Amino acid sequence: MTATVGIVGASGYGGAELLRLLDGHPALHAEVVAAHSQAGAPVAATFPNLAADRRFDAVELDRLRTLDLVFLSTPHGPSLELGAALHDAGVRTVDLSGAFRSSAEDFATWYGEPHPRPDLAPAVYGLPEFNRKQVVDATLVANPGCYVTTALLGLVPIAGLLQPGTVVVDGKSGTSGAGRAAKDALHATHVAGSVTAYGAPGHRHTGEIETALARYGADLGAISFTPHLLPIARGLLTTSYASLDDGVTAADVQDALVDAYRNEPFVHVLPAGTFPVVKSVTGSNGCQLSAVVDPRTGRVTVVSVTDNLGKGAAGQALQNANLMLGLEEATGLTAVGVYP
């Protein structure tokens, strides 16, 4: 039986990636492909890879209520309104924004505004590797941020080996992570041949990383996070540093990572000293990671890579949707990137 799904925000990069993935999904049909400002426009005019004869739909709540599941690939403002309405109507929803990832108190701190539905904050956090049972039973799932997903997959398994207050996360993302809006900082002549930091020290993903670590039983205190923009279209790399507890060895770190992901379809742990390459996961829902320990400083370095539109957004959203609809988790997804 085929389930009907909708995408709101289909004219953005995340929404378009969802549509691409759904085109090859054997059990889900994209019944609604909604884009408020581009309703009625041909999809292929914006995304030539999606060349089917299809036009963007208008955002109509009554129509969305008839679907089995809705993806919200919208900024947090529209997601707050639509996510709450769909939840109240009993429609399974995966939200790709930050609208429902944190508590109402944390949302106010990092977004500078009160949360209109504190009863839904936080929703079930959609990082299946650590809470797939909750995702299965959820009506509303908050898809983690791209930087956060990539950092957490490297940090959560070893969090119990780390000293609180010592975690530093350095993140680097392709320009698609900044969305389709025309911005001077994303101009091709400005990005090409350059790398720049932005958003420090108050990037919203800082609080999300701290909260998520605590959610999984590893309250490591305040972290430092700095994102950077890479001159590539898609792909994301995080390098995380932290001090190890006394007596923790490199073997302890490697064993913790291998044990955590031994049976996971999308996370691959590389041998210590073999660093992952962004290109290896491009176009996939995969994550590759590795860790090395510096015995001189007693610190660990964890390097993780994902596709910011894959495991960092649309791929993970589809992974969550599969679980919510009772499908095999990996249906329609792959951990194998497009290389070279």
Side-chain angles (χ1 to χ4, degrees):
M1 181 177 178
T2 300
T4 57
V5 302
I7 305 168
V8 181
S11 61
Y13 289 138
E17 183 71 359
L18 271 167
L19 186 54
R20 183 183 75 85
L21 293 172
L22 289 169
D23 184 64
H25 198 290
L28 301 182
H29 172 65
E31 184 76 19
V32 176
V33 182
H36 176 71
S37 63
Q38 291 186 248
V43 172
T46 303
F47 298 105
N49 62 317
L50 304 174
D53 184 18
R54 183 161 194 170
R55 294 179 180 270
F56 290 114
D57 300 305
V59 181
E60 299 174 349
L61 183 58
D62 286 344
R63 189 177 180 192
L64 294 173
R65 287 194 182 106
T66 68
L67 303 176
D68 294 307
L69 184 140
V70 174
F71 297 100
L72 297 179
S73 188
T74 51
H76 73 273
S79 282
L80 285 169
E81 180 179 352
L82 285 170
L86 291 168
H87 172 273
D88 293 346
V91 180
R92 295 180 182 90
T93 303
V94 180
D95 176 44
L96 279 73
S97 81
F100 301 101
R101 293 173 184 160
S102 58
S103 68
E105 180 180 0
D106 287 340
F107 180 88
T109 297
W110 294 99
Y111 286 80
E113 59 186 275
H115 199 290
R117 286 294 300 268
D119 57 312
L120 299 179
V124 171
Y125 197 65
L127 193 61
E129 285 73 16
F130 300 106
N131 64 334
R132 56 174 48 89
K133 290 183 179 179
Q134 291 89 339
V135 171
V136 167
D137 296 326
T139 300
L140 176 61
V141 167
N143 221 52
C146 53
Y147 282 117
V148 185
T149 293
T150 314
L152 289 179
L153 289 172
L155 288 172
V156 170
I158 65 169
L161 308 177
L162 307 179
Q163 293 183 16
T166 69
V167 178
V168 176
V169 179
D170 176 299
K172 297 179 175 65
S173 175
T175 57
S176 60
R180 282 189 60 240
K183 302 174 184 176
D184 186 69
L186 301 179
H187 194 294
T189 56
H190 299 168
V191 174
S194 182
V195 178
T196 183
Y198 67 95
H203 194 282
R204 291 166 177 170
H205 281 175
T206 306
E208 189 184 340
I209 295 171
E210 292 174 355
T211 300
L213 284 169
R215 179 182 290 123
Y216 297 119
D219 189 353
L220 292 173
I223 69 161
S224 296
F225 168 62
T226 303
H228 302 74
L229 192 65
L230 292 174
I232 60 176
R234 54 196 293 170
L236 193 151
L237 181 148
T238 60
T239 306
S240 302
Y241 310 88
S243 295
L244 294 167
D245 280 338
D246 291 342
V248 175
T249 67
D252 295 330
V253 171
Q254 187 71 8
D255 288 347
L257 291 171
V258 171
D259 288 346
Y261 298 120
R262 191 181 306 279
N263 298 312
E264 292 295 338
F266 297 116
V267 185
H268 181 59
V269 180
L270 304 179
T274 302
F275 295 106
V277 179
V278 169
K279 187 74 172 177
S280 63
V281 295
T282 300
S284 81
N285 194 51
C287 171
Q288 293 187 10
L289 58 88
S290 68
V292 292
V293 171
D294 183 351
R296 185 179 64 86
T297 62
R299 294 177 66 81
V300 63
T301 299
V302 186
V303 182
S304 307
V305 297
T306 63
D307 184 331
N308 59 289
L309 295 178
K311 185 61 171 166
Q316 183 149 262
L318 182 53
Q319 185 181 353
N320 283 314
N322 284 337
L323 289 167
M324 297 167 76
L325 293 171
L327 302 172
E328 169 59 39
E329 183 175 342
T331 305
L333 295 166
T334 179
V336 180
V338 178
Y339 192 95

